[in-house]
Amino acid sequence: MSSGHEAAFWADEEVKLLQPGRPHVVRDSKTPSGPVPISGLRGPIISDALFRTFKANALDVRFVYTIDDYDPMDSQSMKERAGMAAHMGKPLCMIPSPDPSVGTDFADYHATRFIALFAGLGITPEFHRMRDLYRSGALDKQIDLVLRNAETIRAIHKRVANVDHPEGWLPVAVICENCGRIGTTLATDYDGTTVAYECKPDYVEWAKGCGHKGRLAPFKGNAKLLWNEQWCAQWDHFGVTYEEGGKDLLTAGGSRERSNEIYREVWKRDPPPGLQHEFFTFGGKKMASSKGIGAEAVEIVAIYPPEVVRFLMLRTHPKRHLEFDPAGMTLPRLMDEYDRAADAYRGDEESDLGKTWRLSQVSPTPDAPGFRIRFTTVASWLQIPSIKPEAEAEKEKGARLTDAELRDLHRRVELARAWLERWAPDEAKFEVLERTPDVELTPEQRRYLSAIRALIGTVHDAGEMQNQLYEAAKQVGLLDAKGNPSQDAFAAIYLAFLGKPNGPRAGWLLLSIDPELVRRRLDELGRAP
RNA sequence: GGGCCAGUAGCUCAGCGGUAGAGCAGGAGACUCUUAAUCUCUUGGUCGUGGGUUCGAAUCCCUCCUGGCUCACCA
């Protein structure tokens, strides 16, 4: 418990918001209107971390995740795609799937792709689809309540958000019986059983209604509540007591505030509390799913180990914005920090960083972290063909790796491979040059390169090679002020083969290159120019 | 225009009322194997600005500046 860290960890702070001795429900949701950027995982991972923390604090809690697949297609970026224009305004679950082998319809396709990531990340909520809730009539009671209080709700929209809906407006969207659109209909005149509606051509900018007028019962899936009212209906239906969210929704005068007011006035209940999380930025700019490398959640999760994805989301307080650009040194930094968190956990499980490490694990009850190799070291190893990571790691540990450690190593190897290929800056990469580079060498350096030629093909152990290189430098007289071999000696090797003055340990490097090439190169550069 | 977040060592950030911290980078040294290897030590900041509260503020309050995001239609 008390460990000297009295400043409360953010997740522990949230525990105080929940009343003990009664059931609790944490909720999160996603509208499956397209590919989800990596930033879309921040909410689910935060919610899951809180869910775990609540449970760990002996609260009776469920985690509910809803898929808002009855919402209308209104995404501008989608409208420009081939074949999509005709579907604008239809419920997401009534639009054809881009790939039927993945999902049965548009919503199912995108939801499936996204949700498929959850289990691997250790996120295990109950999933509910809005289409099922509506069609089964599970929300009919709430729909009726909303319709009977339409005037009150209209006033709240006006007061809280300054949104003026026409008189007689009802906060439901009927699915047009003629064209199937749900985003274009205006409903009026609830008589306790049915509503009148009109599918208006110019009701919204992003879709064109067909002009049909009709009357039907807005239950059993014939209609859906508008966003704010649907939110309340879900809180009511599931008994939600905690819900965090992005700041796009939780801003003053924003959507959540409208829903909160409606819940208070119409349902006569307090809305659930919840953190407002900040967004990701990508290179200082807002992350866009459509463009930008590595921005899609599916892609990052395929490459990053799950605990690293969780750690990325949890190490920064939810209320702070998170800069994430997979390119460059982002990943090595993240991995170093992750390792530090593991050390913190070993030192004190209840330290903030220790807690963050634990919440980052896929299992809520993880084993203690074991021996691991620093990420940048693994990345270097990969670029020296003669190094076998497993053997090298065992040498470094001084003992056999456990199964878990071996798995961790392999994951790091895969991650480093992807990083080198896609994101690493040039400084982190080296490559043996096929052709002799045009480099400046001193006469001593040239003598040195000539001197080590004899080692090639005769010394086969990398460690021994390293020693011999060292000795050769002494013999040639490449010494620094203290009589030790100077940096110039090794720089000559790096320049000769990599074209830059530094690189991986020279003994290992030389042995990993074809001996013929090494001899030729040494001959060529060993001569006076 | 409303809201949120940030501005602390070269870089990334932690600290959030009690004599300025970490990692990396930089510097020095050790290991009779240089390094992007290990270990030890170390340089470096008047904590964005101006006020206020306090015995005492990076830390609380107010002003302002800078940068970013977000809502002002729908979801």
Side-chain angles (χ1 to χ4, degrees):
Chain A
M1 270 282 281
S2 181
S3 57
H5 299 265
E6 289 308 318
F9 185 59
W10 62 265
D12 296 334
E13 279 297 300
E14 298 306 292
V15 173
K16 298 175 189 164
L17 297 173
L18 302 192
Q19 190 188 327
R22 54 154 296 182
H24 288 281
V25 173
V26 174
R27 176 187 176 265
D28 194 6
S29 68
K30 182 72 203 158
T31 303
S33 58
V36 183
I38 181 66
S39 52
L41 280 171
R42 193 171 194 183
I45 289 175
I46 289 170
S47 289
D48 180 70
L50 289 170
F51 170 58
R52 292 185 185 187
T53 303
F54 295 159
K55 270 207 292 202
N57 279 271
L59 289 166
D60 169 16
V61 57
R62 288 165 64 202
F63 181 13
V64 165
Y65 196 91
T66 66
I67 295 150
D68 297 343
D69 57 3
Y70 231 46
D71 291 354
M73 166 61 88
D74 65 351
S75 163
Q76 204 52 44
S77 61
M78 282 296 150
K79 189 175 180 179
E80 285 147 24
R81 293 209 182 172
M84 266 305 150
H87 298 299
M88 295 303 294
K90 290 185 185 173
L92 294 165
C93 65
M94 315 268 263
I95 296 171
S97 171
D99 181 352
S101 71
V102 175
T104 55
D105 51 74
F106 188 87
D108 191 50
Y109 171 83
H110 288 292
T112 300
R113 262 167 57 88
F114 186 53
I115 283 170
L117 307 176
F118 282 31
L121 289 166
I123 310 170
T124 54
E126 304 165 21
F127 292 103
H128 298 273
R129 303 192 304 181
M130 288 313 290
R131 74 175 82 169
D132 299 327
L133 290 176
Y134 278 117
R135 288 169 179 167
S136 69
L139 298 178
D140 284 354
K141 193 179 68 182
Q142 286 81 3
I143 292 173
D144 175 64
L145 178 68
V146 164
L147 292 176
R148 283 190 284 106
N149 289 278
E151 263 311 301
T152 307
I153 292 169
R154 195 168 76 95
I156 293 170
H157 280 258
K158 172 73 180 156
R159 189 179 76 235
V160 178
N162 200 29
V163 177
D164 236 333
H165 291 292
E167 204 168 324
W169 165 88
L170 295 176
V172 286
V174 170
I175 299 178
C176 176
E177 296 157 286
N178 183 50
C179 72
R181 289 195 172 73
I182 195 170
T184 50
T185 57
L186 174 61
T188 52
D189 186 33
Y190 181 52
D191 62 9
T193 313
T194 61
V195 297
Y197 75 94
E198 179 179 355
C199 185
K200 297 168 79 98
D202 55 356
Y203 191 54
V204 291
E205 276 180 24
W206 33 270
K208 194 170 153 71
C210 68
H212 179 77
K213 292 182 186 180
R215 185 157 197 109
L216 52 58
F219 304 113
K220 296 276 183 194
N222 288 339
K224 79 178 276 292
L225 291 168
L226 296 188
W227 176 256
N228 292 286
E229 294 71 32
Q230 173 174 292
W231 211 337
C232 295
Q234 294 184 67
W235 288 341
D236 181 21
H237 178 75
F238 292 109
V240 177
T241 55
Y242 187 94
E243 179 166 340
E244 72 90 50
K247 72 167 178 185
D248 52 338
L249 302 176
L250 298 204
T251 192
S255 201
R256 179 70 168 265
E257 197 171 291
R258 262 173 275 169
S259 293
N260 285 349
E261 271 309 293
I262 294 166
Y263 207 51
R264 286 194 192 97
E265 284 199 32
V266 176
W267 271 266
K268 314 274 190 232
R269 259 185 269 166
D270 284 330
L275 275 171
Q276 169 195 327
H277 74 249
E278 263 281 353
F279 284 176
F280 273 50
T281 52
F282 182 91
K285 296 294 167 198
K286 193 207 167 170
M287 182 168 283
S289 52
S290 48
K291 53 191 171 189
I293 40 161
E296 209 197 329
V298 169
E299 192 181 8
I300 294 293
V301 172
I303 297 171
Y304 281 33
E307 58 273 16
V308 175
V309 175
R310 290 182 67 105
F311 183 70
L312 169 67
M313 304 292 173
L314 297 175
R315 70 169 167 151
T316 304
H317 186 106
K319 290 193 74 160
R320 304 181 67 154
H321 88 257
L322 212 164
E323 163 68 20
F324 180 75
D325 178 352
M329 295 303 283
T330 300
L331 187 53
R333 284 222 186 91
L334 180 63
M335 291 302 291
D336 280 352
E337 210 170 319
Y338 177 78
D339 288 346
R340 219 173 300 141
D343 289 338
Y345 180 79
R346 267 199 292 231
D348 178 2
E349 293 185 11
E350 298 306 318
S351 64
D352 286 7
L353 248 190
K355 284 176 179 170
T356 303
W357 184 87
R358 183 172 55 216
L359 287 172
S360 298
Q361 303 311 301
V362 173
S363 163
T365 53
D367 295 329
F371 173 83
R372 78 270 160 172
I373 301 291
R374 198 179 165 202
F375 180 77
T376 52
T377 304
V378 174
S380 292
W381 288 355
L382 285 180
Q383 298 179 84
I384 308 169
S386 64
I387 288 187
K388 298 279 174 288
E390 294 83 356
E392 202 67 20
E394 289 203 342
K395 212 187 297 175
E396 191 151 311
K397 183 188 179 188
R400 290 197 65 102
L401 298 185
T402 65
D403 287 349
E405 288 166 348
L406 207 54
R407 269 199 304 278
D408 182 66
L409 177 64
H410 288 151
R411 273 214 297 249
R412 284 175 191 241
V413 166
E414 289 312 309
L415 186 60
R417 215 186 290 282
W419 179 69
L420 287 167
E421 193 174 308
R422 304 188 47 175
W423 297 311
D426 290 341
E427 305 89 79
K429 291 192 273 197
F430 43 83
E431 181 182 14
V432 175
L433 300 170
E434 288 298 322
R435 303 174 58 179
T436 306
D438 181 21
V439 291
E440 297 269 339
L441 294 171
T442 65
E444 289 75 23
Q445 286 180 312
R446 291 183 188 281
R447 275 214 310 278
Y448 178 64
L449 291 181
S450 291
I452 63 175
R453 187 194 188 285
L455 303 173
I456 306 306
T458 56
V459 178
H460 298 287
D461 178 74
E464 178 58 21
M465 177 66 88
Q466 188 76 16
N467 276 327
Q468 294 292 332
L469 291 172
Y470 188 83
E471 289 304 318
K474 282 188 192 168
Q475 283 163 20
V476 173
L478 270 175
L479 304 173
D480 63 19
K482 306 195 64 170
N484 290 318
S486 79
Q487 293 213 177
D488 291 348
F490 289 88
I493 296 174
Y494 298 130
L495 284 168
F497 293 94
L498 308 177
K500 51 187 195 176
N502 46 38
R505 307 184 77 173
W508 280 259
L509 176 67
L510 288 183
L511 284 177
S512 69
I513 307 172
D514 170 38
E516 275 312 306
L517 190 155
V518 176
R519 287 198 196 92
R520 236 183 302 125
R521 182 70 47 87
L522 292 176
D523 284 342
E524 195 171 334
L525 288 175
R527 283 195 300 269

